Amino acid sequence: MTTVMVCDDAPLTREVMMRRIGSLPGVTRVCGASSGEELLAKYATEQPALTLTDLRMPGMGGLDAVKRLLALRPSAQIMMMTLAEDIDGVARALAYGAKGYVMKDSTREELAVALAPFIGEAMPRSGGAGRPGVTATLTARELEVLRGMSQGHSNAEIGAELYLTEDTIKTHARRLFRKLDASDRAHAVAIAYRTGLIS
């Protein structure tokens, strides 16, 4: 049996995600949790193959839940859920050991692709769910751009700080994405945290 746990403090969001995930091939059961505390309490009995948790929740948030669960169960497979692009939160969760992230408004088809590596279906792996590796050394300028990304700054803001045009920042971003084998900003920042390029 393939059980998936969905943790979100918003009942409607949790139920919608549970229904979508429960309809995917390979998923035999879906259970829910409304907080990080409940996630940890239920994990031992539910034994999910994959746990999806909201990044931002009252009390024990998703980041703390990831850290505590992986300290107890290093083999746990965890993905984050976020409503808006939360680069810093996602990057830190991936650095802690989360396997990827999905948007809360993901379609059933998008969820099928993102969750396939964890539910046994032979579908393409999403860019956010893999284990990235550093394939080349970044230049000093690329590192500056990456640090700006890690602070949640836009390309225009990074350009203003470095006295460069926004197009130049975009060029540096494309190059560092290619070198890091990163699919997007959050993925690149996560690689940087994990490999010690930034801290």
Side-chain angles (χ1 to χ4, degrees):
M1 290 179 63
T2 299
T3 298
V4 177
M5 182 184 292
V6 176
C7 179
D8 196 299
D9 63 297
L12 180 59
T13 300
R14 186 171 65 248
E15 291 302 321
V16 169
M17 289 296 288
M18 289 176 66
R19 282 199 301 271
R20 288 177 183 166
I21 293 170
S23 70
L24 299 180
V27 176
T28 52
R29 184 168 174 274
V30 182
C31 58
S34 60
S35 66
E37 292 87 350
E38 187 178 4
L39 184 161
L40 294 179
K42 282 189 170 183
Y43 189 89
T45 54
E46 299 291 354
Q47 295 290 311
L50 175 66
T51 299
L52 289 94
T53 182
D54 189 8
L55 263 171
R56 310 293 181 184
M57 296 183 289
M60 184 190 299
L63 290 176
D64 284 340
V66 169
K67 290 174 66 176
R68 296 192 189 190
L69 180 55
L70 288 174
L72 295 171
R73 301 292 182 93
S75 61
Q77 304 291 303
I78 309 171
M79 292 187 72
M80 311 309 294
M81 299 187 300
T82 182
L83 187 58
E85 188 173 355
D86 186 343
I87 294 175
D88 182 65
V90 167
R92 290 189 180 280
L94 294 175
Y96 292 155
K99 302 301 183 183
Y101 67 98
V102 296
M103 304 300 289
K104 292 185 182 182
D105 58 358
S106 295
T107 65
R108 180 182 180 278
E109 291 71 26
E110 289 168 338
L111 288 171
V113 172
L115 306 190
F118 309 100
I119 58 179
E121 294 300 301
M123 298 179 71
R125 182 183 295 270
S126 68
R131 285 186 171 273
V134 177
T135 57
T137 302
L138 300 186
T139 65
R141 185 64 79 191
E142 288 163 352
L143 278 172
E144 289 176 326
V145 172
L146 186 58
R147 289 192 188 96
M149 290 179 180
S150 74
Q151 295 164 359
H153 296 168
S154 68
N155 288 336
E157 290 170 334
I158 296 171
E161 291 177 356
L162 300 179
Y163 301 101
L164 298 171
T165 67
E166 185 174 357
D167 284 342
T168 300
I169 297 301
K170 289 179 180 178
T171 298
H172 286 305
R174 285 194 296 270
R175 288 174 180 166
L176 72 89
F177 288 171
R178 185 168 61 251
K179 288 181 179 181
L180 297 179
D181 193 23
S183 56
D184 53 29
R185 288 167 65 106
H187 197 191
V189 173
I191 294 168
Y193 276 120
R194 186 177 296 169
T195 58
L197 285 172
I198 58 177
S199 58

